[in-house]
Amino acid sequence: MFTMLHSQQADGYKLWLKYDKIENSELLNEYAEIVSSIYFKDDNDILKNAKKEFSLALPQMLNKQVKYSSNISSDNSLIVDVYENLPNDLKDLVGNDIEVLTDEGFIIKSLTYKKKSITIISAKKNIGILYATFRFLHLMQTHKKLKSIDLVDSPKVDLRMLNHWDNLDRSVERGYAGFSLWNWQKLPEYIDQRYIDYARANASIGINSTVLTNVNANALVLTPMYLEKVEALANVFRGYGIKVYLTARFSAPIEIGNLETSDPLNPEVEKWWSNKVAEIYKRIPDFGGFLVKANSEGQPGPQNYGRNHVDGANMMATALKPFGGNVIWRAFVYSEHDDTDRAKQAYDEFLPYDGKFKDNVLVQVKNGAIDFQPREPFHPMFGAMKKTPLVIEFQITQEYLGFSSHLVFLPKLFEEVLDSDTYQKGKGSTVAKVIDGSLYGNTLSGIAGVANIGTDLNWTGHPFAQANWYGFGRLAWDPDLSSEKIADEWLRATYSNNQDFIEPVKNLMLTSREAVVNYMNPLGLHHIFDTGHHYGPGPWVDNLGRPDWNPVYYHQADANGIGFDRTPSGSNATEQYASYLEKTFNDINTIPEEYLLWFHHVPWDYKLQNGNTLWDGIALKYQEGVNDVTHMIQTWDNAKPYLNDSEYNEVKMLLQIQLKEAKWWRDACLLYFQTFSKKELPEGVEKPTQSLEYYKSLKFPFAPGIRPQWD
Amino acid sequence: MFTMLHSQQADGYKLWLKYDKIENSELLNEYAEIVSSIYFKDDNDILKNAKKEFSLALPQMLNKQVKYSSNISSDNSLIVDVYENLPNDLKDLVGNDIEVLTDEGFIIKSLTYKKKSITIISAKKNIGILYATFRFLHLMQTHKKLKSIDLVDSPKVDLRMLNHWDNLDRSVERGYAGFSLWNWQKLPEYIDQRYIDYARANASIGINSTVLTNVNANALVLTPMYLEKVEALANVFRGYGIKVYLTARFSAPIEIGNLETSDPLNPEVEKWWSNKVAEIYKRIPDFGGFLVKANSEGQPGPQNYGRNHVDGANMMATALKPFGGNVIWRAFVYSEHDDTDRAKQAYDEFLPYDGKFKDNVLVQVKNGAIDFQPREPFHPMFGAMKKTPLVIEFQITQEYLGFSSHLVFLPKLFEEVLDSDTYQKGKGSTVAKVIDGSLYGNTLSGIAGVANIGTDLNWTGHPFAQANWYGFGRLAWDPDLSSEKIADEWLRATYSNNQDFIEPVKNLMLTSREAVVNYMNPLGLHHIFDTGHHYGPGPWVDNLGRPDWNPVYYHQADANGIGFDRTPSGSNATEQYASYLEKTFNDINTIPEEYLLWFHHVPWDYKLQNGNTLWDGIALKYQEGVNDVTHMIQTWDNAKPYLNDSEYNEVKMLLQIQLKEAKWWRDACLLYFQTFSKKELPEGVEKPTQSLEYYKSLKFPFAPGIRPQWD
């Protein structure tokens, strides 16, 4: 029925901020009592936005208007203000809790004040109040008891960033949810409501930084015409505690500055960047800084002038320092003149620079050493680079994970990486501790996620991809959160609080990442995607300009076996890990099987732990992936009673694409690998319905997310 | 307040199908009585969709559930069914009205049946019921009395078509409302709710054909991979009476058919197209046919093989004929080897072919002979080409009208063209009569509009651009409708029925088109837009590859005067019009002043009808355009009490862009033309704030809607 379809449109747009009416009367009474009289100071933009959120959410959830008082009085059931504005007797009651907060932290506490039970929301700074507001409303949305709440929370990571790979023509590199939110043509005058709702969504999960432009950068964004537009966005985002960053094209001094060089040690170049930075801060006093991809995949950089990454990063850091800005320098580099295993190159290149970067430089490292595969071992730079704050870069957009057609709950992947133990400072030296700065005492810390957000009505293309945006933000706030808790929170805020719905669907989410590993890249296989667009399988591809762009380079299948030997008999990439891990990975008997073919070239008849041969094991894993998706569909079908037609149909259609494509992956990969193994498919694996030639013939020239040709 | 902003998002998405609750209790009672018991047969997809629309709309407008009966009974207050299913006594009552209907027409009538007042909605075919349903609901939305309704209506034009200039990468050539609705990547499995709502919107205004792809065509859409996706869209649209057309790239037999030629007289080529057509109809039995841009602006065509347009069109027509499909062949051609005034070339090329096309060929002609300018005299082919059905092509998207930032109510432009008298069969031979086929008795007729629809939440970028989509559909249904009536209908359905709101805002709409003519191209000036993107003024541009791509070619400004001489002393384009018009246009004393510089090169000190010199007159017209926009802003400000914050702000921000750009047009054009006239600006014209060099320096490499580079 159309009524439902229409309302669902709006629902998808609202993300996890739906604020549905609460039907449970007990909860309703509890909440109504808590907010029966609110003191909420809103004398600045951030607090105004916080109070607006209250005014939007409470009447919807509680189905009644809410009363605000203009002074703190004994009538108030809820008091919301920053610590320094509280009356002294209230300060005394919460002082200890406030003390432990960071500038972004907050408290939400039930206490007895003037002999009355009240709730207080407070923080050191305005932004803490905004974060607390969203958390408080979220707790109501997810039907948590609030009567005796005692919540003291601060983010563990400083920079919680989205990276938008958005081009000025509004195409989005690796974007699968439509096109760029930034309507440059109508900026600065026209402020799309989407900018505000984007900021609300981010603030609700604690994201505090956004890089508006693609790392494959265009210098034009640094010209006055575009800076005026960036300023308009920054003005919106500031009220939600979000700082704007831009990508800085290293050759900008030549392209837009009329200089003949962009040599970082050239005084004219240094001056140009200093002036440019001053120009930006004049417009945007809280500008975050630059994200730079240099000397990587064709981007210009300091090496064009015989300089190195430290020279480049420090030159920009010097320009930004007086204004409090940061340089975030990407470590995703590999040289076209170096045939070393690509997995080793970033470590080799950057480790010697440890300790040489200025203190406002962070080095941003992808979660794994190759490129956002369904599964990779953690990047060996984590833990090894001890004096430099490392930002971990996750990809929320699903470049190698089925685009926005596949349901894959990525917090499971993020959690796996963050929980990985680097052993670099003994057992327990997890990636999370490297990132939050606690392992080596860094003064700056950061987590970045390549955004999966676009102009699609539901923002992310797949309704469940909203959970990846949500989960990224939650993990950036607290890298120790469990993916299970995140799935639970998101499902409740997005779909339903009904436990009979949540349990099976949460399980579906938590198993979905292993499913995609199984049907795409089991047992440590990686980078066997079709050329350019990375849509679908292309393990046979061997014709690209560089060896390490070709899938055959990564799987190394031959008559004997399959897998990339990264032990001492091969590229010895294992040497970049702490010695305990190096040994574990080198030994085929101790290596976790999920990384087997990442590190070892293994004979087809090698016996896996479960007794299967490698060939049978690979084939059965592919089949298992397909079976996983079939099971996901069953789970979704069973959840139908808890969904409206549109909610049900939307995901069902997408799951059917996922099933079709899972089978495509299985059939194409197995047929191809079979040309080496010469072995039959084991029992339990469905026979392919098409020939290998058919799969090889498939071409997708207009698959979304391809790097634009002007670049 | 966010509540409003949120609801407005949904409102923009809903277009003119908002179905707001009716507050007027008298009307509410009248309507409630009419629909108190409904018989609505829905035994096929079209009727199901009609009934769904009832079920969506009535409960919202009337704030109560509506009762349907499964048989016609004496209880029924409203009976909805096709004529042949009606009981005989009812048939007798409406038979005469039904008889005059076309297959798409309908009746909505109050009558006395079995001594009871009832309303009947009937038609010859299901599609008529669907159209009647939307009209009936629209009449309620716009608060019309329905108690004694007697409406008998049929469309006057057969093919009421949207042309989407949508590329397979989802960019939209000349698109300013985001990107293509067609998410090829997720088709055929994923049916976006937008496809359904797009079809609903079109059906509600009688649009019955859609060309999914750009006239600058890509042959890939004719491959099975894409045809499967087209089929999925056709399956959705069929239920709303909409036929799908595709653009056919003339060289497709080479590009996807492995042939070495696409010579239309080559038997292999003929066979290839016949097979391709059969393949399409197997998937889409009601496929509409092909729209073809051939031998124009670099597109391949029959002339590549020494053949002509008739050869090309008839070859495709032969392939389509057995299945009932049409060829729509575009007449927008101009030769790179011909330096004849471009305004003359299409006429010269096509007139000799009149009578030579097969009967399922229509020739599609732009409304004017140049290219969708703010104002053009009607294309001389209209009325002159007597034996060939001509489809008029309007541009709903605002390529030359300020993109989606300028409020320009285009039905005013469409009406001006349709009402133009060609005099080709004596006085009263209007373009409308040529197009609806009544002038020459054509058996096929059509109106096409280049769509302004994209992925923007509100579909068209500017909220008022929705009125251009709406108005196009209404005029395609009835080319004699007044733009005033259309504005009234649209405002009521979209914003408010309050007369105090409607009158001034309707006036704003009706004057908006003259405003844009004034501040961009007054007195017959044309094609003085900046290169490529056509964003903003570029009258100085003189460096493009062909003379007739350059603004200087079109305005011919020099020390003596300005304007393009199309009289016998010049290109003699006037000879292509009927002799009465030819004389009128040739004589500077009789030519309507709005076409003055279109047809005449006029001295700067020529006296206009109001006594001003031409130079002063041009300058004052530019100023008048700016003043018009200032006045529009005042009108909008006065309308604020009738709008919610978000409705008000959205349009206000856009009007401010429009004002800024109107001034830009005025200043840039006058500064440039002043270099020829050497005269001061007259009193009343504001002084430019920037230099001519400044305006010339502006560059917009990422302006939206540019033709993609892969083409």
Side-chain angles (χ1 to χ4, degrees):
Chain A
M1 194 172 126
F2 274 111
T3 324
M4 275 189 177
L5 293 170
H6 269 282
S7 86
Q8 169 58 7
Q9 287 294 358
D11 285 355
Y13 180 82
K14 289 179 185 169
L15 296 161
W16 48 86
L17 302 173
K18 290 206 172 66
Y19 304 133
D20 284 339
K21 181 167 179 298
I22 289 161
E23 304 289 352
N24 177 318
S25 60
E26 196 183 323
L27 277 175
L28 204 58
N29 290 338
E30 182 190 321
Y31 296 164
E33 201 172 306
I34 289 172
V35 301
S36 62
S37 167
I38 307 177
Y39 172 77
F40 201 138
K41 183 91 163 279
D42 67 343
D43 53 0
N44 61 66
D45 284 349
I46 289 183
L47 293 189
K48 273 196 179 70
N49 286 333
K51 192 169 169 186
K52 268 187 193 167
E53 200 68 25
F54 252 54
S55 306
L56 167 69
L58 293 178
Q60 290 184 49
M61 287 196 283
L62 310 182
N63 203 26
K64 58 183 252 192
Q65 289 305 313
V66 172
K67 211 175 66 194
Y68 298 93
S69 70
S70 48
N71 293 99
I72 296 187
S73 79
S74 58
D75 279 351
N76 292 136
S77 59
L78 175 65
I79 293 172
V80 186
D81 206 344
V82 290
Y83 180 72
E84 66 174 13
N85 289 345
L86 294 178
N88 285 333
D89 48 359
L90 252 180
K91 274 187 180 163
D92 291 344
L93 285 171
V94 299
N96 290 339
D97 290 322
I98 294 287
E99 209 166 291
V100 302
L101 297 179
T102 70
D103 279 357
E104 296 178 300
F106 60 81
I107 63 164
I108 306 177
K109 277 181 88 85
S110 309
L111 38 82
T112 306
Y113 178 57
K114 298 194 192 241
K115 298 187 183 152
K116 211 175 142 242
S117 291
I118 67 157
T119 306
I120 181 160
I121 293 179
S122 193
K124 283 181 174 162
K125 306 273 185 186
N126 299 318
I127 185 62
I129 300 290
L130 182 69
Y131 289 150
T133 297
F134 279 110
R135 187 70 66 81
F136 181 79
L137 296 172
H138 173 81
L139 293 170
M140 281 192 178
Q141 280 188 283
T142 54
H143 294 194
K144 301 299 181 218
K145 291 271 172 204
L146 294 176
K147 221 184 327 204
S148 314
I149 189 167
D150 184 4
L151 179 56
V152 178
D153 200 9
S154 295
K156 293 184 183 159
V157 176
D158 301 322
L159 305 180
R160 305 177 297 277
M161 324 186 73
L162 288 180
N163 289 186
H164 289 272
W165 287 358
D166 289 17
N167 300 310
L168 298 182
D169 65 358
R170 295 187 77 182
S171 63
V172 180
E173 189 170 333
R174 312 310 175 185
Y176 312 105
F179 293 82
S180 174
L181 294 183
W182 324 132
N183 188 342
W184 298 111
Q185 173 69 17
K186 286 185 178 158
L187 283 168
E189 289 88 354
Y190 185 78
I191 301 301
D192 194 318
Q193 176 64 24
R194 278 222 145 171
Y195 306 149
I196 298 164
D197 291 328
Y198 164 86
R200 288 174 55 234
N202 280 327
S204 78
I205 49 177
I207 288 171
N208 66 359
S209 311
T210 184
V211 186
L212 300 178
T213 46
N214 192 353
V215 288
N216 294 318
N218 191 303
L220 277 183
V221 79
L222 301 176
T223 60
M225 183 173 104
Y226 278 96
L227 288 176
E228 188 184 12
K229 299 168 191 283
V230 172
E231 178 186 350
L233 289 174
N235 288 343
V236 173
F237 298 161
R238 186 173 298 114
Y240 288 93
I242 299 166
K243 284 190 180 185
V244 161
Y245 284 68
L246 292 174
T247 48
R249 188 162 165 92
F250 204 79
S251 50
I254 300 171
E255 291 161 10
I256 61 169
N258 266 325
L259 300 188
E260 286 178 2
T261 177
S262 59
D263 180 348
L265 301 192
N266 178 302
E268 289 290 305
V269 172
E270 292 173 29
K271 194 177 136 205
W272 187 88
W273 281 108
S274 287
N275 289 341
K276 182 53 70 181
V277 165
E279 179 191 345
I280 296 173
Y281 276 92
K282 201 168 166 193
R283 291 182 179 277
I284 309 167
D286 60 344
F287 180 67
F290 294 136
L291 172 64
V292 187
K293 173 178 180 177
N295 292 123
S296 169
E297 299 184 321
Q299 293 297 303
Q303 292 172 351
N304 300 31
Y305 304 95
R307 315 300 182 188
N308 64 32
H309 289 290
V310 174
D311 298 328
N314 285 352
M315 178 273 290
M316 288 191 181
T318 302
L320 286 159
K321 184 72 184 175
F323 305 96
N326 298 316
V327 173
I328 300 171
W329 196 269
R330 281 175 102 238
F332 180 64
V333 298
Y334 54 96
S335 165
E336 49 203 315
H337 311 296
D338 185 349
D339 61 359
T340 309
D341 176 7
R342 180 168 139 191
K344 295 183 72 175
Q345 293 191 32
Y347 179 103
D348 286 349
E349 174 120 24
F350 276 81
L351 256 288
Y353 301 142
D354 196 18
K356 297 186 178 165
F357 290 105
K358 293 205 179 271
D359 64 1
N360 58 332
V361 176
L362 301 96
V363 171
Q364 182 161 307
V365 182
K366 291 189 182 182
N367 63 274
I370 297 296
D371 196 13
F372 299 133
Q373 301 301 294
R375 168 168 281 132
E376 297 190 43
F378 71 87
H379 200 299
M381 284 175 70
F382 296 120
M385 192 115 172
K386 299 183 162 76
K387 296 173 190 153
T388 310
L390 298 189
V391 175
I392 191 166
E393 178 177 321
F394 288 117
Q395 198 180 40
I396 314 174
T397 188
Q398 296 173 226
E399 175 179 358
Y400 298 97
L401 289 130
F403 294 5
S404 61
S405 307
H406 292 212
L407 194 167
V408 184
F409 182 59
L410 290 176
K412 194 78 185 169
L413 184 163
F414 305 156
E415 176 184 50
E416 178 177 287
V417 176
L418 291 166
D419 289 353
S420 294
D421 196 337
T422 71
Y423 291 92
Q424 291 284 7
K425 206 177 155 185
K427 197 165 158 47
S429 305
T430 60
V431 172
K433 287 185 186 163
V434 174
I435 294 310
D436 70 18
S438 62
L439 191 66
Y440 298 121
N442 306 113
T443 51
L444 268 177
S445 60
I447 296 192
V450 181
N452 64 345
I453 304 164
T455 52
D456 276 3
L457 274 176
N458 71 6
W459 303 82
T460 56
H462 198 304
F464 275 75
Q466 295 182 355
N468 295 334
W469 178 8
Y470 179 87
F472 167 77
R474 295 289 286 134
L475 279 168
W477 179 279
D478 180 1
D480 297 321
L481 268 185
S482 76
S483 56
E484 190 273 339
K485 177 165 171 28
I486 293 167
D488 193 88
E489 288 179 3
W490 179 80
L491 277 173
R492 287 176 185 277
T494 305
Y495 281 107
S496 165
N497 279 285
N498 190 316
Q499 209 61 28
D500 295 335
F501 169 79
I502 288 174
E503 285 310 320
V505 178
K506 184 162 68 182
N507 188 54
L508 178 164
M509 292 172 75
L510 293 172
T511 56
S512 62
R513 187 280 186 121
E514 205 60 33
V516 75
V517 170
N518 287 338
Y519 64 70
M520 285 187 183
N521 289 186
L523 294 171
L525 285 172
H526 54 287
H527 218 307
I528 56 176
F529 295 78
D530 200 2
T531 304
H533 46 64
H534 301 152
Y535 173 55
W540 46 78
V541 174
D542 60 1
N543 61 347
L544 303 180
R546 301 170 44 140
D548 59 349
W549 285 350
N550 286 297
V552 296
Y553 168 89
Y554 290 100
H555 63 66
Q556 300 276 338
D558 57 25
N560 298 320
I562 186 170
F564 195 113
D565 184 359
R566 292 192 168 98
T567 69
S569 60
S571 77
N572 203 19
T574 51
E575 69 173 346
Q576 295 179 337
Y577 289 96
S579 64
Y580 171 79
L581 283 181
E582 182 184 359
K583 275 183 228 149
T584 307
F585 291 163
N586 278 341
D587 185 346
I588 198 166
N589 295 308
T590 57
I591 186 161
E593 237 166 33
E594 63 262 35
Y595 299 132
L596 182 63
L597 305 179
W598 188 282
F599 287 110
H600 292 266
H601 190 74
V602 183
W604 294 113
D605 55 6
Y606 172 80
K607 279 276 183 293
L608 296 169
Q609 284 158 19
N610 62 10
N612 287 324
T613 64
L614 175 64
W615 166 252
D616 286 357
I618 289 176
L620 288 163
K621 276 286 178 194
Y622 272 107
Q623 181 65 47
E624 187 182 335
V626 171
N627 297 346
D628 290 340
V629 180
T630 308
H631 186 67
M632 286 160 74
I633 293 177
Q634 284 160 1
T635 302
W636 193 249
D637 282 344
N638 291 338
K640 195 171 179 202
Y642 309 98
L643 299 162
N644 69 39
D645 283 357
S646 156
E647 287 172 332
Y648 168 76
N649 285 329
E650 198 178 13
V651 173
K652 179 70 185 279
M653 291 187 284
L654 291 165
L655 285 169
Q656 276 159 342
I657 296 177
Q658 187 169 0
L659 180 61
K660 186 182 76 168
E661 296 185 356
K663 290 178 176 175
W664 170 28
W665 270 94
R666 177 197 63 197
D667 294 350
C669 291
L670 291 180
L671 281 170
Y672 169 72
F673 292 136
Q674 199 173 34
T675 65
F676 300 98
S677 79
K678 313 283 188 197
K679 293 173 191 296
E680 291 296 304
L681 292 174
E683 205 174 329
V685 178
E686 290 171 74
K687 297 276 170 287
T689 54
Q690 303 277 354
S691 70
L692 177 57
E693 288 318 303
Y694 167 80
Y695 294 116
K696 284 179 159 182
S697 77
L698 297 175
K699 295 281 169 279
F700 306 95
F702 295 108
I706 302 180
R707 213 163 141 179
Q709 297 190 1
W710 50 259
D711 188 51
Chain B
M1 194 174 126
F2 275 111
T3 324
M4 276 189 177
L5 293 171
H6 270 281
S7 85
Q8 168 59 6
Q9 287 293 358
D11 284 356
Y13 180 82
K14 289 180 186 169
L15 296 160
W16 47 87
L17 302 174
K18 289 207 174 64
Y19 305 132
D20 283 340
K21 180 167 180 297
I22 289 161
E23 304 288 352
N24 178 317
S25 61
E26 197 184 324
L27 277 174
L28 204 57
N29 289 338
E30 182 190 320
Y31 296 165
E33 203 172 307
I34 288 172
V35 301
S36 63
S37 167
I38 307 177
Y39 172 77
F40 201 139
K41 184 91 163 279
D42 67 343
D43 54 359
N44 61 65
D45 284 349
I46 289 182
L47 294 189
K48 272 195 179 68
N49 285 334
K51 193 169 169 188
K52 267 187 193 168
E53 200 69 25
F54 253 53
S55 306
L56 167 69
L58 292 179
Q60 289 184 50
M61 286 196 284
L62 309 182
N63 203 25
K64 58 183 254 195
Q65 288 305 313
V66 172
K67 211 174 67 195
Y68 297 93
S69 69
S70 49
N71 294 97
I72 296 187
S73 80
S74 58
D75 279 351
N76 293 135
S77 59
L78 176 64
I79 292 172
V80 187
D81 207 344
V82 290
Y83 180 72
E84 66 174 14
N85 289 345
L86 294 178
N88 285 334
D89 49 358
L90 252 178
K91 275 186 178 162
D92 291 343
L93 286 171
V94 299
N96 290 339
D97 291 323
I98 293 288
E99 208 165 290
V100 302
L101 297 179
T102 70
D103 279 356
E104 295 178 301
F106 60 81
I107 62 164
I108 306 176
K109 277 182 87 86
S110 309
L111 39 83
T112 307
Y113 178 57
K114 299 195 190 236
K115 297 184 183 156
K116 215 177 140 238
S117 290
I118 68 155
T119 306
I120 181 161
I121 294 179
S122 193
K124 283 182 174 161
K125 306 275 184 185
N126 298 318
I127 184 63
I129 301 289
L130 182 69
Y131 290 150
T133 297
F134 279 110
R135 188 71 64 82
F136 181 81
L137 296 172
H138 173 80
L139 293 170
M140 282 192 178
Q141 279 187 283
T142 54
H143 294 195
K144 301 297 181 223
K145 291 271 171 204
L146 294 176
K147 222 185 324 203
S148 314
I149 189 167
D150 184 3
L151 180 56
V152 178
D153 200 7
S154 294
K156 293 185 183 158
V157 176
D158 300 323
L159 305 180
R160 307 178 296 279
M161 325 185 72
L162 287 180
N163 289 187
H164 290 271
W165 288 358
D166 289 18
N167 300 310
L168 299 183
D169 66 357
R170 296 187 76 182
S171 64
V172 179
E173 189 169 331
R174 311 312 175 183
Y176 312 105
F179 293 81
S180 174
L181 294 182
W182 324 133
N183 188 342
W184 297 112
Q185 173 70 18
K186 285 184 179 160
L187 283 167
E189 289 87 355
Y190 185 77
I191 301 302
D192 194 317
Q193 175 66 24
R194 278 223 146 172
Y195 306 148
I196 298 164
D197 292 327
Y198 164 86
R200 289 174 55 233
N202 280 328
S204 78
I205 49 177
I207 288 172
N208 66 359
S209 311
T210 184
V211 186
L212 300 178
T213 44
N214 192 352
V215 288
N216 294 318
N218 191 304
L220 277 184
V221 80
L222 302 176
T223 59
M225 182 173 103
Y226 278 95
L227 288 176
E228 188 184 12
K229 300 168 191 283
V230 172
E231 178 186 351
L233 289 174
N235 288 342
V236 173
F237 298 162
R238 186 175 297 116
Y240 289 93
I242 298 166
K243 285 190 180 186
V244 162
Y245 285 67
L246 292 174
T247 48
R249 187 161 165 94
F250 204 78
S251 50
I254 301 171
E255 291 161 11
I256 61 168
N258 267 325
L259 299 188
E260 286 178 2
T261 177
S262 60
D263 180 348
L265 301 191
N266 178 302
E268 289 289 306
V269 171
E270 291 174 28
K271 195 175 135 205
W272 187 87
W273 282 107
S274 289
N275 289 341
K276 182 52 71 182
V277 165
E279 179 191 345
I280 296 173
Y281 276 91
K282 201 167 167 196
R283 291 182 178 277
I284 309 167
D286 60 345
F287 181 67
F290 295 135
L291 171 64
V292 187
K293 174 177 180 177
N295 292 123
S296 169
E297 298 183 322
Q299 292 298 303
Q303 293 172 352
N304 300 30
Y305 305 94
R307 316 300 182 187
N308 64 31
H309 289 291
V310 175
D311 298 328
N314 285 352
M315 177 272 290
M316 287 191 182
T318 303
L320 287 158
K321 183 71 183 176
F323 304 97
N326 297 315
V327 173
I328 301 170
W329 195 267
R330 282 173 102 238
F332 179 65
V333 297
Y334 55 96
S335 165
E336 49 204 315
H337 311 296
D338 186 349
D339 62 359
T340 309
D341 177 5
R342 181 167 138 192
K344 294 183 71 175
Q345 293 191 33
Y347 179 102
D348 287 348
E349 174 120 25
F350 275 84
L351 256 288
Y353 301 143
D354 197 17
K356 298 188 177 165
F357 290 104
K358 293 205 178 270
D359 65 1
N360 58 333
V361 176
L362 301 98
V363 171
Q364 182 161 307
V365 182
K366 291 188 182 184
N367 63 276
I370 296 296
D371 196 12
F372 300 133
Q373 299 302 294
R375 169 168 279 133
E376 296 190 43
F378 72 87
H379 200 297
M381 284 176 69
F382 295 120
M385 192 116 173
K386 299 185 162 77
K387 296 173 193 154
T388 310
L390 298 188
V391 176
I392 191 166
E393 177 176 321
F394 289 116
Q395 198 179 40
I396 315 173
T397 189
Q398 295 172 229
E399 175 178 358
Y400 297 98
L401 289 132
F403 295 3
S404 61
S405 307
H406 292 212
L407 193 166
V408 184
F409 182 58
L410 290 175
K412 194 78 185 167
L413 184 163
F414 305 156
E415 176 184 51
E416 179 178 287
V417 177
L418 291 166
D419 288 354
S420 294
D421 197 338
T422 71
Y423 291 91
Q424 291 285 8
K425 204 177 156 185
K427 195 164 156 51
S429 304
T430 60
V431 172
K433 287 185 187 163
V434 174
I435 293 309
D436 70 19
S438 62
L439 192 66
Y440 298 122
N442 306 112
T443 50
L444 268 177
S445 61
I447 296 193
V450 181
N452 65 344
I453 304 163
T455 51
D456 275 4
L457 274 177
N458 71 6
W459 303 83
T460 56
H462 198 304
F464 275 75
Q466 295 181 355
N468 295 334
W469 176 10
Y470 179 86
F472 168 78
R474 294 289 287 133
L475 280 168
W477 179 278
D478 180 1
D480 297 320
L481 268 187
S482 76
S483 57
E484 191 273 340
K485 177 163 171 24
I486 293 168
D488 193 271
E489 288 178 2
W490 179 80
L491 277 173
R492 287 176 186 276
T494 306
Y495 281 108
S496 164
N497 280 286
N498 190 315
Q499 210 58 30
D500 296 336
F501 169 80
I502 288 174
E503 285 311 319
V505 178
K506 186 163 66 181
N507 188 54
L508 177 164
M509 291 172 77
L510 293 171
T511 55
S512 62
R513 187 280 186 122
E514 206 60 34
V516 75
V517 170
N518 287 338
Y519 64 70
M520 284 186 183
N521 289 188
L523 294 170
L525 286 173
H526 53 287
H527 219 307
I528 56 175
F529 294 77
D530 200 2
T531 305
H533 46 65
H534 301 152
Y535 173 57
W540 46 77
V541 174
D542 61 0
N543 61 346
L544 302 181
R546 300 170 44 139
D548 60 347
W549 284 351
N550 286 299
V552 296
Y553 170 89
Y554 290 99
H555 63 66
Q556 300 277 336
D558 56 26
N560 298 320
I562 185 169
F564 195 114
D565 184 359
R566 292 194 167 98
T567 70
S569 59
S571 76
N572 203 19
T574 51
E575 70 173 344
Q576 294 179 338
Y577 288 96
S579 64
Y580 171 80
L581 283 182
E582 183 184 0
K583 275 182 229 149
T584 308
F585 291 162
N586 279 341
D587 185 346
I588 198 166
N589 296 308
T590 57
I591 187 161
E593 237 167 33
E594 64 261 34
Y595 299 132
L596 183 62
L597 305 180
W598 189 281
F599 287 111
H600 292 266
H601 190 75
V602 183
W604 292 112
D605 55 6
Y606 172 79
K607 279 275 184 295
L608 295 170
Q609 284 158 20
N610 62 9
N612 287 325
T613 64
L614 176 63
W615 167 251
D616 286 358
I618 289 176
L620 288 163
K621 277 285 179 194
Y622 273 107
Q623 181 65 47
E624 188 183 334
V626 172
N627 297 346
D628 291 340
V629 180
T630 308
H631 187 67
M632 287 160 72
I633 293 177
Q634 284 160 1
T635 304
W636 193 248
D637 282 345
N638 292 336
K640 196 172 180 203
Y642 309 99
L643 298 162
N644 69 40
D645 283 358
S646 154
E647 288 172 331
Y648 168 76
N649 285 329
E650 198 178 14
V651 173
K652 179 70 185 278
M653 290 186 286
L654 291 165
L655 285 169
Q656 276 160 341
I657 296 176
Q658 188 170 0
L659 180 60
K660 185 182 77 170
E661 295 185 356
K663 290 178 176 175
W664 170 29
W665 269 95
R666 177 196 63 195
D667 295 349
C669 290
L670 291 179
L671 281 171
Y672 169 73
F673 292 136
Q674 200 173 32
T675 64
F676 299 98
S677 79
K678 314 280 187 198
K679 294 175 189 294
E680 292 295 305
L681 292 176
E683 204 175 329
V685 178
E686 291 171 75
K687 298 275 169 290
T689 54
Q690 302 277 355
S691 69
L692 177 57
E693 288 317 303
Y694 167 79
Y695 294 116
K696 284 179 160 183
S697 77
L698 297 175
K699 294 283 170 278
F700 306 95
F702 295 107
I706 302 179
R707 210 163 143 180
Q709 298 189 1
W710 50 259
D711 188 53

